[in-house]
Amino acid sequence: MIREFASADVFYLLLAARWTIGLALVAAIGGGLLGLLIALARILPFAPLNWLAIGYINIIQGTPLLGQLFVFFFGLPLLGFPVGAWTAAAISLSLYASAFLGEIWRGALQSVAKRQWEAGAALGLTYRQRFTHVVIPQAVRISIAPTVGFLVQLVKNTSLTALIGFVELTRASQIITAATFAPLTVYLTAAAIYFVICFTLSQLSRVLERRLHGAR
Amino acid sequence: MSGTLWFAEQVRQLNYSFKFGAIWKYQDQILEGIVLTLQLSIVTMIMGLAIGLLVALAGSSPRRTLRLPAQIYVEAIRNTPLLVQLFIVFFGLPSIGIKLGANTAAVIALTINMGAYGAEIIRAGIESVRRHQIEAGRALGLTAYQTFRHVVLFQAMKAIYPSLASQFVLLMLATSIVSAIGASELFHQGAFIESRTYRSFEVYTLITLTYLLITLGLRTVFAGIYWVIFVRRPVR
């Protein structure tokens, strides 16, 4: 039965947006933890580890996220893990985020000047001490703005999970469109909700960049 | 038990035999998909950059009536998902009387999307050329056009080339999204092969790896072009 697009539908979309945010958060945390390992594997002075990290990053950044989603969605059940759309989505988005966050953080770690390492060494600090007390605090500063910027990409990319049937904002819009047959209104409303989330993050990233760079 | 052994054991216990061979006879479809994806990427890249150039110029205009719409366009596109933009064009526009085929809708949505990112890249390129370079050109008696042609253009091109190259790869990967409305490209070919073979996992693994090959190929080509144009170039 076709009904009118009403305020209840906007409410339903807002409820669905919680899943968009939830998925983005899970992927940010999972991808963040893994991304730390990737960044470390990329810069520690041990060649095979570097190659492994580079290979991983190339595979994730060189293939479409949609492909990764489908591979996990169809592949994990074959390996004996009967996962649903939520788990497949969370896993693939986390892996996706880890490759990008890993690269952002590697860049930040490497942008700390070599002189800083040398100064640490001259003061008699060990490799680990130089890493934790000299390099990391500076790298964190540099990486905060681009990290928040990447979160915008992550939120937008959660929309692809609609295509494996995970009910987040985009999938919810499809469902409401089927009921109300008002696609333009529904998708514009969804776009507006995405915009509010993403624009807030973009602006935050800009403010952080200005503030942290000004302070240096 | 080590991870690999455990994994091998899991695979052995499956009542599923992986059949990548069943897909091999669809190599023509895959090749066609590669060509379609590249065509779609090139067309939308060129049109997107044309829009991007106009938007970048409007965005740096001193007139607010030009600047504001440009800023709204860039922010609106960059802060919403491509998939939703695609749905608005393909499913939404018909309700106000604009009916588009899947391929046309895909090109339009991708172009509008690329335009916003292109504008940001071009703006950064123009800003990267320092003002005193332009003043130096004018001081040497070059006209505004000559200064742009001989001083600004090459430096700006060199500055934005890496971002353009990586944006092209990102765009190429993003074209997979238009399979959601059934536009023809590589991922859609994958869906076709899946419907014939019921081998979802194998098909999508193969298609995903095909994208990886395209990415690696493109990166090599772009690195080669960069070397030929910007590195090997004799000092003038």
Side-chain angles (χ1 to χ4, degrees), chain A residues 58 62 75 78 156 202 206, chain B residues 14 75 78-79 117 215 219:
Chain A
N58 270 322
L78 294 184
K156 289 193 293 177
S202 312
R206 251 170 241 177
Chain B
L14 294 175
E75 294 297 336
R78 284 164 55 100
N79 288 301
Y117 289 90
T215 301
R219 283 196 192 146

Side-chain angles (χ1 to χ4, degrees), chain B residues 9 22 26 48 61 101 114 124 140 149 193 201 217 224 231:
Chain B
E9 182 61 19
Y26 291 98
S61 156
M114 178 62 214
L140 286 171
R149 165 77 186 74
I193 303 170
F201 174 71
V231 180

Side-chain angles (χ1 to χ4, degrees), chain B residues 124-151:
Chain B
I126 295 173
E127 279 174 9
S128 76
V129 181
R130 291 192 201 91
R131 182 141 293 275
H132 65 235
Q133 295 265 338
I134 298 168
E135 289 162 356
R138 296 308 299 270
L140 286 171
L142 300 180
T143 64
Y145 171 75
Q146 284 172 328
T147 312
F148 176 76
R149 165 77 186 74
H150 297 289
V151 180

Side-chain angles (χ1 to χ4, degrees), chain A residues 39-108:
Chain A
L40 283 179
R42 191 79 170 66
I43 61 164
L44 287 179
F46 180 60
L49 207 58
N50 302 156
W51 298 332
L52 213 64
I54 292 173
Y56 174 79
I57 291 164
N58 270 322
I59 291 175
I60 301 285
Q61 296 196 347
T63 54
L65 175 60
L66 188 57
Q68 295 161 24
L69 270 173
F70 276 48
V71 167
F72 281 102
F73 184 62
F74 291 117
L76 288 174
L78 294 184
L79 293 178
F81 304 98
V83 298
W86 157 254
T87 317
I91 291 177
S92 28
L93 275 167
S94 295
L95 295 181
Y96 175 81
S98 74
F100 283 86
L101 290 175
E103 275 297 84
I104 292 174
W105 295 341
R106 174 196 61 88

Side-chain angles (χ1 to χ4, degrees), chain A residues 58 61-64 66-67 70 74-75 78-79 81 156 159 174 183-184 187-188 191 194-195 198-199 202 206, chain B residues 6 10 14 75 78-81 83-84 87-88 91-92 95 117 173 176 187 200-201 204 208 211-212 215 219:
Chain A
N58 270 322
Q61 296 196 347
T63 54
L66 188 57
F70 276 48
F74 291 117
L78 294 184
L79 293 178
F81 304 98
K156 289 193 293 177
S159 65
Q174 289 181 312
L184 193 60
Y187 290 125
L188 282 176
Y194 277 113
F195 183 81
C198 294
F199 189 68
S202 312
R206 251 170 241 177
Chain B
W6 174 84
Q10 289 292 115
L14 294 175
E75 294 297 336
R78 284 164 55 100
N79 288 301
T80 50
L83 185 62
V84 174
F87 283 174
I88 290 175
F91 297 117
S95 55
Y117 289 90
L173 295 174
S176 62
F187 214 81
S200 315
F201 174 71
Y204 287 115
T208 303
Y211 277 99
L212 183 60
T215 301
R219 283 196 192 146

